[in-house]
Amino acid sequence: MDHVERIVEQWNRERPDLDVAPMALIGRLGRLARAWSREMEATFARHGLNAASFDLLATLRRAGPPYALSPGALIEATMVTSGTITNRIDRLVAAGLVERRPNPQDGRGFLVSLTPEGFSRIDACVTDHVATQARLVAPLDAADRAALEALLRKAAGTT
């Protein structure tokens, strides 16, 4: 019996009037997400990054050449507030991984772009990140992964 099963068993004993089955599912998902996040954070740390810096650099990298986006596009892609994105940009500018450039289509605005060091760093990190993710899901075969992904989309209401 694992930790989640013990908790459910205790609630079933103490509150048999409640259906605590959702607690088991949500508890397992939460524990799995935390465990996988720790593994991914370790991968980011090996490259001098954290999840927030990885997210911003990866967003710029997958945008394609010239690997530059406006702060508004970064906010939309990363789903954080303008204050948060400004703080992340400032830290990455200080680290030499991104730079602010004038936006040729908006004289008052600027673009955030990868520096050569930022491009190299995110390329190396994303290679290791994908390997980490593959290792994490390795216990599931392709059919299991497809089924789980479909179930998670359904639970999220995105099917």
Side-chain angles (χ1 to χ4, degrees), residues 4 37 73 103 125 130:
V4 172
S37 290
N103 186 339
C125 187
V130 169

Side-chain angles (χ1 to χ4, degrees), residues 38-116:
R38 282 191 301 273
E39 293 286 327
M40 291 183 289
E41 283 284 354
T43 299
F44 303 149
R46 285 195 301 276
H47 294 273
L49 303 174
N50 59 28
S53 57
F54 174 86
D55 187 31
L56 194 144
L57 294 173
T59 299
L60 291 170
R61 176 62 177 93
R62 71 176 184 264
Y67 310 109
L69 294 170
S70 69
L74 285 169
I75 289 167
E76 185 177 320
T78 60
M79 298 182 291
V80 298
T81 66
S82 62
T84 298
I85 206 73
T86 298
N87 186 23
R88 290 180 184 179
I89 293 166
D90 289 345
R91 289 178 185 203
L92 291 170
V93 166
L97 301 177
V98 301
E99 61 187 4
R100 289 179 173 94
R101 298 185 333 211
N103 186 339
Q105 296 167 345
D106 177 1
R108 298 172 299 153
F110 65 92
L111 297 174
V112 178
S113 63
L114 289 174
T115 64

